[in-house]
Amino acid sequence: MPLELLILGTSSPIHTGHRFGPSQVISDGTTNILVDTGWGSTLRLYQANLPPQRVHAVFFTHLHSDHTTDLADFLVMRWVGGIRGPIPIYGPEGTSRMVKGFQEAMAAETKYRLDHHGEKL
């Protein structure tokens, strides 16, 4: 089966009005792998009719901020969209620490959503 590359964003660390942060999806039509989560990548997934719930794994090429800053939004939108299990996340040394940091940063938001919207989620 052929692979497809979907470009979600190609910008640099300096934001521009017409380009989103670095991110792409590699797909074989069944499995969707998100590569990097640059700013706006979660929005771009929705615009491409490929919501975070349909992504099967995340890979980081490196941990510069312009490749990672949308991870929190991606994880929250996966969870709000009904996915409760973990997603495999791969990357260079430091990736696990970064993911744990994003999860810790979002812990209060997660508690708030459960307390106020629990059964709706």
Side-chain angles (χ1 to χ4, degrees), residues 32-46:
N32 301 303
I33 308 299
L34 180 62
V35 180
D36 293 332
T37 59
W39 69 276
S41 59
T42 303
L43 170 63
R44 296 289 291 147
L45 283 168
Y46 282 104

Side-chain angles (χ1 to χ4, degrees), residues 14-66:
I14 300 169
H15 290 201
T16 59
H18 64 285
R19 290 168 57 192
F20 289 87
S23 184
Q24 46 274 298
V25 175
I26 300 169
S27 178
D28 67 359
T30 303
T31 301
N32 301 303
I33 308 299
L34 180 62
V35 180
D36 293 332
T37 59
W39 69 276
S41 59
T42 303
L43 170 63
R44 296 289 291 147
L45 283 168
Y46 282 104
Q47 290 173 338
N49 198 29
L50 184 68
Q53 297 80 12
R54 293 184 43 212
V55 172
H56 300 94
V58 178
F59 285 78
F60 286 102
T61 57
H62 59 288
L63 302 182
H64 287 169
S65 62
D66 59 318

Side-chain angles (χ1 to χ4, degrees), residues 1-118:
M1 180 166 280
L3 294 177
E4 180 179 292
L5 177 64
L6 172 64
I7 304 294
L8 300 173
T10 60
S11 192
S12 70
I14 300 169
H15 290 201
T16 59
H18 64 285
R19 290 168 57 192
F20 289 87
S23 184
Q24 46 274 298
V25 175
I26 300 169
S27 178
D28 67 359
T30 303
T31 301
N32 301 303
I33 308 299
L34 180 62
V35 180
D36 293 332
T37 59
W39 69 276
S41 59
T42 303
L43 170 63
R44 296 289 291 147
L45 283 168
Y46 282 104
Q47 290 173 338
N49 198 29
L50 184 68
Q53 297 80 12
R54 293 184 43 212
V55 172
H56 300 94
V58 178
F59 285 78
F60 286 102
T61 57
H62 59 288
L63 302 182
H64 287 169
S65 62
D66 59 318
H67 291 254
T68 63
T69 56
D70 214 42
L71 180 61
D73 192 37
F74 172 80
L75 294 173
V76 168
M77 290 301 104
R78 249 179 90 72
W79 177 70
V80 169
I83 302 295
R84 297 297 182 259
I87 185 170
I89 299 177
Y90 304 94
E93 185 176 338
T95 299
S96 178
R97 181 174 178 228
M98 178 190 71
V99 170
K100 288 176 185 168
F102 274 114
Q103 290 171 324
E104 178 63 29
M106 298 306 294
E109 195 273 346
T110 301
K111 181 181 180 331
Y112 169 82
R113 291 214 182 264
L114 287 172
D115 289 350
H116 295 271
H117 308 287

